[in-house]
Amino acid sequence: KDLEFLLDTNFLVGLLDLNSIESKHTCRKIIEICHRLGYKASVLDFTIEETSALINRTAENYETTFLAKKIDPESIYNACDRRRLNRTDLQSISANLYDKLHKEFRINLIPNTTKYRNTAKYSAEYDKFKGYRTNEYAALHDATAVVYVQRKRGKKVTSFQDSNCWFVT
């Protein structure tokens, strides 16, 4: 079946082992199953931008953060502590993000997502996401992913087997 999994920022962070050990295992198992079944794993260029910005913000604050490294097992800081990564390592991951995702996990890039972003800016989903996301950029990202999935599907679906695209977070 021609099925596409559109991957979200949090999924990528787990896949890169920058979250909990369990998250890494789950995300990598999903990618393995996806490829084994002949499905396509994709990422919006907007998601690469968002993930890179997140990793860079973490790198900027790396030296001043202590508690998150020890307390929150799902934080990037904790993963860095566990894996003995430093600020430079994070900057390198961010700079080579898509290349690593493509080479290591065979994830495809969906470029030129401006038309999806523009549609998302005026969508009900964007207004809804603004209500509970931490910032408008994150809300726009999620709304853009929803617009992409809706266009890819072409119709409303209610079951897994009837869909040709899923947003995986």
Side-chain angles (χ1 to χ4, degrees):
K1 178 171 178 146
D2 185 26
L3 180 66
E4 180 177 11
F5 286 174
L6 183 67
L7 307 177
D8 192 23
T9 299
N10 196 48
F11 187 93
L12 298 180
V13 169
L15 189 64
L16 295 167
D17 195 14
L18 294 174
N19 199 307
S20 67
I21 294 169
E22 295 82 7
S23 177
K24 170 191 166 190
H25 173 76
T26 301
C27 293
R28 291 186 179 192
K29 189 56 73 175
I30 288 170
I31 291 295
E32 177 187 323
I33 292 168
C34 174
H35 290 312
R36 189 178 312 146
L37 294 175
Y39 301 161
K40 182 166 57 171
S42 301
V43 64
L44 299 172
D45 59 0
F46 197 4
T47 308
I48 295 295
E49 291 170 22
E50 185 180 55
T51 307
S52 183
L54 172 64
I55 295 169
N56 280 327
R57 279 192 310 276
T58 304
E60 288 172 15
N61 299 315
Y62 185 83
E63 304 302 326
T64 60
T65 305
F66 176 76
L67 282 180
K69 290 178 186 176
K70 305 298 180 189
I71 294 176
D72 184 2
E74 294 185 2
S75 77
I76 294 175
Y77 297 113
N78 185 279
C80 289
D81 194 52
R82 174 176 46 83
R83 295 179 55 204
R84 292 182 170 72
L85 300 176
N86 61 33
R87 179 182 189 164
T88 305
D89 296 324
L90 287 175
Q91 290 167 332
S92 177
I93 291 168
S94 176
N96 300 300
L97 182 60
Y98 177 68
D99 287 341
K100 180 173 181 63
L101 292 171
H102 183 67
K103 288 176 185 170
E104 194 169 329
F105 302 106
R106 299 186 336 230
I107 294 172
N108 302 301
L109 179 68
I110 299 164
N112 308 318
T113 58
T114 305
K115 65 182 176 182
Y116 301 115
R117 286 188 213 195
N118 289 338
T119 302
K121 283 180 190 176
Y122 304 102
S123 69
E125 287 83 6
Y126 180 49
D127 289 336
K128 183 178 78 172
F129 288 134
K130 283 194 293 188
Y132 64 86
R133 295 292 284 162
T134 55
N135 60 57
E136 288 189 12
Y137 183 83
L140 181 59
H141 171 266
D142 289 354
T144 302
V146 168
V147 167
Y148 176 83
V149 169
Q150 288 172 339
R151 292 236 176 116
K152 180 82 175 185
R153 287 179 177 175
K155 62 181 179 177
K156 184 173 180 154
V157 296
T158 56
S159 66
F160 184 83
Q161 63 267 18
D162 293 337
S163 180
N164 61 351
C165 189
W166 288 98
F167 185 42
V168 184
T169 60

